[in-house]
């Protein structure tokens, strides 16, 4: 089953409750929350208090994407705020094992992400412990960028690994996903598609979500 995770980064931040309700009504089960610290990426978004306020307003699964230099410090605040899953970057410089352990002990699902310049094979030692691997298909930091098809071999590699090792690993792609690029991502093995501008930039979010799912081969 293919899942769409609309990225709140492209939503109207003055009406987050309605934006979340809109994508939930449109068929999304996940909400992708991009947390940026102005250091790991040249952009700043929101912290745990925003997540906690939104947690009270929606039942969507909170898929939190940490673009932070110090993910370990922020695991507990975001877990308390209501994250369901935390994905952190291989390139963050964190103690990876400690960060995975902290996320798991907080009772959350755990993911790891790689930027476009990083080989997916660096994740291999950690894959058996992960619920999700995230392949960035743009440079992290901003919505609305162009999908990088040259990242697809990483998705294929992860998908092969999951099959070979019979692991229920979610494979997420993030960046430039729309009703055209989703098809290639899913063919390569992705099953969680983050879409920011393609969903929140559309007048009818449900229609946008269904268009992406249809292009991914789902009957909707
Ligand atoms: C970028 C973020 C993405 C972003 C995707 O650093 O990680 O989640 O919102 O936006 P689109 O779908 O517009 O490329
Ligand atoms: Zn993201």
């Amino acid at each position: 089953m293919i899942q769409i995770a609309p990225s709140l980064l492209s939503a109207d931040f003055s009406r987050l409750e309605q934006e979340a309700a809109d994508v939930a009504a449109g068929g999304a089960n996940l909400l992708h929350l991009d947390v940026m610290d102005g250091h790991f990426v040249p952009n700043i978004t929101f912290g745990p208090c925003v997540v906690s306020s939104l947690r009270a307003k929606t039942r969507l699964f909170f898929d939190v994407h940490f673009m932070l230099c110090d993910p370990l410090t922020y695991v507990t605040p975001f877990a308390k705020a209501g994250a369901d899953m935390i994905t952190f970057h291989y390139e963050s410089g964190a103690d990876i094992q400690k960060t995975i352990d902290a996320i798991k002990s907080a009772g959350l699902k755990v993911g790891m992400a790689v930027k476009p310049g990083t080989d997916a094979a660096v994740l291999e030692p950690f894959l058996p412990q992960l619920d999700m691997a995230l392949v960035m298909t743009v440079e992290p930091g901003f919505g609305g960028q162009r999908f990088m098809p040259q990242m697809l071999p990483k998705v294929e590699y992860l998908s092969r690994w999951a099959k070979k090792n019979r692991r229920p690993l979610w494979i997420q792609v993030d960046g430039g996903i729309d009703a055209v690029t989703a098809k290639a991502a899913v063919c390569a093995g992705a099953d969680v598609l983050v879409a920011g501008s393609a969903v929140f930039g559309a007048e009818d979010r449900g229609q946008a979500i269904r268009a992406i799912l249809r292009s991914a081969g789902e009957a909707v």
Side-chain angles (χ1 to χ4, degrees):
M1 195 188 86
I2 307 299
Q3 306 196 77
I4 305 288
S7 166
L8 202 65
L9 186 62
S10 291
D12 178 347
F13 277 40
S14 70
R15 48 193 302 279
L16 293 179
E17 178 182 357
Q18 296 96 314
E19 296 284 63
D22 219 8
V23 293
N29 299 315
L30 282 71
L31 190 64
H32 184 83
L33 303 173
D34 289 299
V35 180
M36 305 184 187
D37 65 355
H39 291 279
F40 185 74
V41 288
N43 197 4
I44 298 175
T45 53
F46 45 78
C49 44
V50 171
V51 174
S52 156
S53 297
L54 195 55
R55 180 72 291 171
K57 306 291 184 184
T58 177
R59 301 170 69 119
L60 285 164
F61 179 96
F62 280 179
D63 158 30
V64 176
H65 178 192
F66 270 5
M67 283 159 276
L68 306 175
C69 288
D70 185 13
L72 185 54
T73 300
Y74 294 97
V75 169
T76 304
F78 278 89
K80 283 190 179 148
D84 293 296
M85 170 159 68
I86 292 177
T87 300
F88 67 100
H89 271 265
Y90 174 81
E91 306 86 352
S92 60
D95 181 321
I96 292 176
Q97 193 56 56
K98 269 194 189 156
T99 309
I100 292 175
D101 291 345
I103 296 170
K104 286 192 165 188
S105 355
L108 311 188
K109 288 190 187 291
V110 57
M112 280 186 72
V114 284
K115 298 207 291 186
T118 306
D119 199 323
V122 301
L123 298 182
E124 184 149 355
F126 306 103
L127 291 176
Q129 306 177 64
L130 301 182
D131 297 293
M132 189 171 84
L134 162 55
V135 174
M136 288 304 300
T137 43
V138 298
E139 284 299 337
F142 299 92
Q145 304 180 74
R146 193 187 287 264
F147 178 75
M148 299 167 75
Q150 62 273 36
M151 296 302 121
L152 292 175
K154 295 190 202 180
V155 175
E156 285 163 3
Y157 161 82
L158 290 164
S159 166
R160 266 199 311 274
W161 182 92
K163 280 202 187 92
K164 192 171 128 213
N165 294 280
R166 297 165 194 257
R167 290 285 310 172
L169 180 74
W170 288 357
I171 302 173
Q172 184 174 68
V173 283
D174 182 7
I177 297 294
D178 59 23
V180 175
T181 56
K183 190 172 181 176
V186 168
C187 283
D191 53 10
V192 186
L193 311 177
V194 175
S197 45
V199 170
F200 284 107
E203 189 99 8
D204 184 334
R205 278 72 187 271
Q207 205 173 61
I209 290 168
R210 287 189 297 277
I212 296 170
L213 284 171
R214 267 196 296 273
S215 122
E218 297 284 291
V220 284

